[in-house]
Amino acid sequence: MATVKKRAKKALKICGMADNDYRNKIVTIAKALLKMDNVVILSHRAPDGDTLGCAFALCRGMRSLGKKANVICADEIPAKYSFMSEGMENQPFEAKHFVSVDIAAPHLLGKLTDEYKDKIEICVDHHLNNSIEAPLKLVDSKAAATGEVIWMLLCAMGAAIDKETASCLFAAISTDTGCFKYSNVTPRTHLIAVELMKYDIDCANINFHLLDEVSQAQLELKKLALTTLEYYCDSQCAVITITEDMIKSTNASPEDLDGISNIPRSVNGVECGITMRPIPDGWKVSVRSSEKVNASELCAKFGGGGHKAAAGCKFSESYEDAKKRLVDAVSEMLSQQ
Amino acid sequence: MATVKKRAKKALKICGMADNDYRNKIVTIAKALLKMDNVVILSHRAPDGDTLGCAFALCRGMRSLGKKANVICADEIPAKYSFMSEGMENQPFEAKHFVSVDIAAPHLLGKLTDEYKDKIEICVDHHLNNSIEAPLKLVDSKAAATGEVIWMLLCAMGAAIDKETASCLFAAISTDTGCFKYSNVTPRTHLIAVELMKYDIDCANINFHLLDEVSQAQLELKKLALTTLEYYCDSQCAVITITEDMIKSTNASPEDLDGISNIPRSVNGVECGITMRPIPDGWKVSVRSSEKVNASELCAKFGGGGHKAAAGCKFSESYEDAKKRLVDAVSEMLSQQ
């Protein structure tokens, strides 16, 4: 199987990488995949473009090699990703092998956790603290999207990449990078995009549906949420609130709530943006911040966590009390600058 | 000057291009720039990231070669682009040569039109119907941003590219592509981004300030405008309206109005999104559309024009009459599908 090594080397070269250890990992996983048939590819609950794009790209690649493969997910696939599964009806076979893509921890299998968490043989991911237990793991935290790793694996395997497969991988990368916007983007991200564009994929259309398109309910919710926007700490902290009433009156889904949490931080001069939404036993808080406020440290004060620029926590007290504690903590962090 | 040719060839190769005619054009302009000193670089009125990014990148490149060069613009530089001009105080010299970047037509020089329109010696642009008159023109309508062309010119000239220059060019490209989101993006766009990233530029920060950051006034205006959102034609057409009162109460600048016009089209199922805003003698209309409605044809019915997916027109009649004529025309176009 010297060709797997050659193909892996070529893929890495395209990415501007010359890391032998990394190449060997790709070769090991690619060889293991090539030995498998009747494969179930697992994606995470509340699926996004990266987990689904990876799953369907890998599934298409496996099928292009004459193998039987299916994708499964605990939750329904949102309409905006339905293009990925076109022509990919489930194949009837007795499942023999299980591969997880973009799943950081066993519980993220959702309602499929108990059934599959101990069966995973290959885990491919890009989340730093991946806690899946599997004999073969490839966790590349420098990859902006797991889609980057799947592209390298498909190349190493010699799988056919067609327009549909390339579209899945592009969608995976576009989702996790906000279309090449975030700090996780590396030269590799752009270089793989160039390769995928060779398959005549409709990048702009994919980007529009994945990133810009909103539902009527989502826009209605945004309108209502904007009426709650408040500024604190000399307008360096902004708070937006989603209420039960808003969710009921707009019939918004949990997915529809996602776009809101970037709004307060996006205001010029705001160093810390806070979004509060009701949960059964209190309030769920999303924090987005500039370099002046460490969102992870802020949320840790209240038992939460996350990253420096994006984190979350929960409160069981009243809305006003929760907000006051948060804003006071932000104020203190800003004054320590 | 054989080296200019070699350097141009290398830059084109990086972009995956092997077009001798195009290379010769780059060589001609690069050689002309190398012969110049005391150069004034002109950017367009109501300046955006592309015209300013090109102007300051070229200016920095010229200065790196020991030449005197300044950037001028009819209008003030918006705060979000101020990083481009840092350390770029105007140099005192008697202007001898004039270069325009990203300016599609003479009147886009704004209040500088009369003074400079007949003095331009080199015009570098990417607008298909460029109407600048100049002895040397390089109009590359396949470039997503004029920034792509300026990068090739700087390479061909052998100008030093540093972090600041690379940041200007990245901002130019990010502005005109919505951060690699639109259909104008080509492999070249990504490949130049990879080159610019070698200078350790803070891409994510540039993207945030250019694309995501909003003013308090802008967000307030968005909130008010959203209350006017109406759906027509079985929700395939959406109309949003900005009123005089909204502009007054939020103290919004013309720039603050820009983000609104993409909203109605962004709703799932909407094929044609219309934004109406008051002008002294009536209403200015911005249209954004899917492939089902040709925005340019729609606006042409009312004396306007533009592109297939984004166009504009004006009405002198009342708000209700203007809206009715527009929606009727959209309805007719949708029924012809």
Side-chain angles (χ1 to χ4, degrees):
Chain A
M1 288 233 238
T3 46
V4 175
K5 193 171 164 183
K6 272 189 196 165
R7 289 188 298 242
K9 200 172 170 180
K10 192 179 161 194
L12 262 74
K13 196 179 169 194
I14 287 171
C15 296
M17 297 165 74
D19 176 340
N20 282 344
D21 285 350
Y22 192 81
R23 189 198 62 210
N24 290 340
K25 283 184 196 170
I26 292 283
V27 168
T28 303
I29 305 284
K31 282 183 177 175
L33 286 165
L34 285 171
K35 280 184 191 152
M36 289 180 174
D37 201 350
N38 294 17
V39 181
V40 170
I41 303 164
L42 300 157
S43 50
H44 65 67
R45 74 177 184 197
D48 63 8
D50 194 20
T51 198
L52 291 174
C54 286
F56 283 108
L58 182 58
C59 190
R60 288 173 188 275
M62 295 293 270
R63 289 189 187 179
S64 81
L65 294 164
K67 296 172 185 299
K68 292 193 184 72
N70 287 331
V71 171
I72 62 170
C73 182
D75 300 318
E76 207 183 332
I77 297 177
K80 63 180 167 183
Y81 305 121
S82 61
F83 73 92
M84 295 178 176
S85 60
E86 261 170 44
M88 293 294 286
E89 283 69 35
N90 263 359
Q91 293 179 330
F93 60 78
E94 195 187 336
K96 283 191 191 154
H97 301 282
F98 300 87
V99 178
S100 73
V101 288
D102 196 46
I103 307 183
H107 75 275
L108 297 174
L109 283 160
K111 64 187 179 201
L112 303 176
T113 304
D114 288 343
E115 190 176 352
Y116 292 107
K117 72 177 166 56
D118 298 324
K119 291 184 180 165
I120 299 169
E121 289 168 72
I122 298 179
C123 160
V124 183
D125 189 28
H126 72 135
H127 294 94
L128 185 61
N129 299 316
N130 182 295
S131 62
I132 298 276
E133 285 191 25
L136 284 175
K137 285 182 72 165
L138 177 49
V139 178
D140 177 3
S141 63
K142 286 180 185 162
T146 304
E148 294 184 12
V149 188
I150 297 292
W151 177 79
M152 285 188 277
L153 285 171
L154 292 178
C155 291
M157 290 163 69
I161 296 182
D162 58 12
K163 184 175 175 171
E164 286 70 31
T165 305
S167 297
C168 288
L169 292 174
F170 186 86
I173 290 171
S174 182
T175 298
D176 268 24
T177 61
C179 198
F180 308 93
K181 201 192 283 179
Y182 305 145
S183 59
N184 57 0
V185 173
T186 67
R188 169 168 48 158
T189 320
H190 286 290
L191 291 165
I192 293 176
V194 169
E195 293 304 306
L196 298 175
M197 288 173 88
K198 291 178 180 167
Y199 299 95
D200 196 28
I201 58 178
D202 192 347
C203 301
N205 198 34
I206 293 172
N207 292 331
F208 175 75
H209 290 297
L210 260 53
L211 301 163
D212 288 341
E213 198 171 52
V214 294
S215 65
Q216 287 193 20
Q218 209 170 352
L219 201 55
E220 187 66 18
L221 183 70
K222 187 183 275 189
K223 179 185 85 182
L224 296 174
L226 278 173
T227 64
T228 71
L229 193 67
E230 295 170 309
Y231 297 96
Y232 296 94
C233 312
D234 288 328
S235 297
Q236 289 182 85
C237 176
V239 181
I240 204 166
T241 307
I242 299 167
T243 66
E244 276 297 356
D245 283 350
M246 289 178 196
I247 296 171
K248 274 183 199 154
S249 74
T250 59
N251 203 15
S253 67
E255 219 183 41
D256 290 335
L257 275 65
D258 285 345
I260 309 286
S261 43
N262 290 323
I263 295 175
R265 156 73 179 116
S266 72
V267 180
N268 180 274
V270 169
E271 311 292 348
C272 182
I274 293 171
T275 305
M276 299 182 66
R277 63 164 96 163
I279 46 173
D281 50 350
W283 292 89
K284 188 177 168 188
V285 171
S286 298
V287 176
R288 301 285 182 274
S289 66
S290 74
E291 282 170 12
K292 285 198 182 171
V293 174
N294 186 318
S296 173
E297 279 179 23
L298 175 69
C299 291
K301 290 179 197 284
F302 307 107
H307 305 278
K308 268 167 67 177
C313 55
K314 287 175 186 176
F315 288 86
S316 55
E317 44 262 78
S318 75
Y319 170 73
E320 288 300 337
D321 286 349
K323 190 167 71 176
K324 187 175 183 322
R325 289 183 67 193
L326 268 165
V327 172
D328 285 349
V330 173
S331 177
E332 198 187 325
M333 291 176 90
L334 283 167
S335 71
Q336 284 163 357
Q337 282 290 312
Chain B
M1 288 233 238
T3 45
V4 176
K5 192 171 165 183
K6 272 188 196 165
R7 289 187 298 241
K9 200 172 171 181
K10 192 179 161 195
L12 263 74
K13 196 180 169 193
I14 287 172
C15 296
M17 297 164 75
D19 176 341
N20 283 343
D21 285 350
Y22 192 81
R23 189 199 62 210
N24 290 340
K25 283 184 196 169
I26 292 283
V27 168
T28 303
I29 305 285
K31 283 185 178 174
L33 286 165
L34 286 171
K35 280 184 192 152
M36 290 180 173
D37 200 351
N38 294 15
V39 181
V40 170
I41 303 165
L42 301 157
S43 50
H44 64 68
R45 73 176 186 199
D48 63 7
D50 195 20
T51 198
L52 290 174
C54 287
F56 283 108
L58 181 57
C59 191
R60 287 172 189 275
M62 295 293 271
R63 290 189 186 179
S64 81
L65 294 164
K67 296 170 185 298
K68 292 192 183 71
N70 286 331
V71 171
I72 61 170
C73 182
D75 300 319
E76 207 184 332
I77 297 178
K80 63 180 167 183
Y81 306 120
S82 61
F83 73 92
M84 295 179 176
S85 59
E86 260 170 45
M88 292 294 285
E89 283 69 36
N90 264 359
Q91 295 178 327
F93 59 79
E94 194 188 337
K96 283 192 189 151
H97 301 283
F98 300 87
V99 177
S100 73
V101 289
D102 196 47
I103 307 181
H107 75 275
L108 296 173
L109 283 160
K111 65 186 177 201
L112 303 176
T113 303
D114 288 342
E115 189 175 351
Y116 292 108
K117 74 176 165 56
D118 298 324
K119 291 184 180 164
I120 299 168
E121 289 168 73
I122 298 180
C123 160
V124 183
D125 189 27
H126 72 134
H127 294 94
L128 186 60
N129 299 315
N130 181 296
S131 61
I132 297 276
E133 285 189 27
L136 282 175
K137 285 182 71 166
L138 177 49
V139 179
D140 177 4
S141 63
K142 286 181 186 161
T146 304
E148 294 183 12
V149 188
I150 297 293
W151 177 80
M152 286 188 277
L153 285 171
L154 291 179
C155 290
M157 289 163 69
I161 296 183
D162 58 12
K163 186 175 176 172
E164 287 69 32
T165 305
S167 297
C168 288
L169 291 173
F170 186 86
I173 290 171
S174 182
T175 298
D176 267 25
T177 62
C179 198
F180 308 93
K181 201 192 282 179
Y182 305 145
S183 59
N184 57 358
V185 172
T186 66
R188 169 170 46 159
T189 319
H190 287 289
L191 291 165
I192 293 176
V194 169
E195 293 304 306
L196 298 175
M197 288 172 87
K198 290 178 181 168
Y199 299 95
D200 195 29
I201 58 177
D202 191 347
C203 301
N205 197 34
I206 293 172
N207 292 330
F208 174 75
H209 290 298
L210 261 54
L211 302 162
D212 289 341
E213 198 171 52
V214 294
S215 65
Q216 287 194 21
Q218 208 170 351
L219 201 55
E220 187 65 19
L221 182 70
K222 187 184 272 190
K223 179 184 85 180
L224 297 174
L226 279 173
T227 64
T228 70
L229 193 67
E230 296 171 309
Y231 297 96
Y232 297 93
C233 311
D234 288 328
S235 296
Q236 290 182 84
C237 176
V239 180
I240 204 166
T241 306
I242 299 166
T243 65
E244 277 296 358
D245 282 349
M246 291 178 196
I247 296 171
K248 274 184 201 155
S249 74
T250 60
N251 203 14
S253 67
E255 219 184 40
D256 290 334
L257 275 65
D258 285 345
I260 310 285
S261 42
N262 289 323
I263 295 175
R265 156 72 179 117
S266 73
V267 180
N268 180 274
V270 169
E271 311 291 349
C272 182
I274 293 170
T275 304
M276 299 182 67
R277 65 164 95 163
I279 45 173
D281 50 348
W283 292 88
K284 188 176 168 187
V285 170
S286 298
V287 176
R288 301 285 182 274
S289 66
S290 74
E291 283 171 11
K292 285 197 183 172
V293 173
N294 186 319
S296 173
E297 279 179 22
L298 175 69
C299 290
K301 289 179 198 284
F302 307 107
H307 305 279
K308 268 167 68 177
C313 55
K314 288 175 185 176
F315 287 87
S316 56
E317 44 262 79
S318 75
Y319 171 73
E320 288 300 337
D321 286 351
K323 189 166 72 175
K324 189 175 182 321
R325 288 182 68 193
L326 267 165
V327 172
D328 285 349
V330 173
S331 177
E332 198 187 325
M333 290 176 90
L334 283 167
S335 70
Q336 285 163 356
Q337 282 290 312

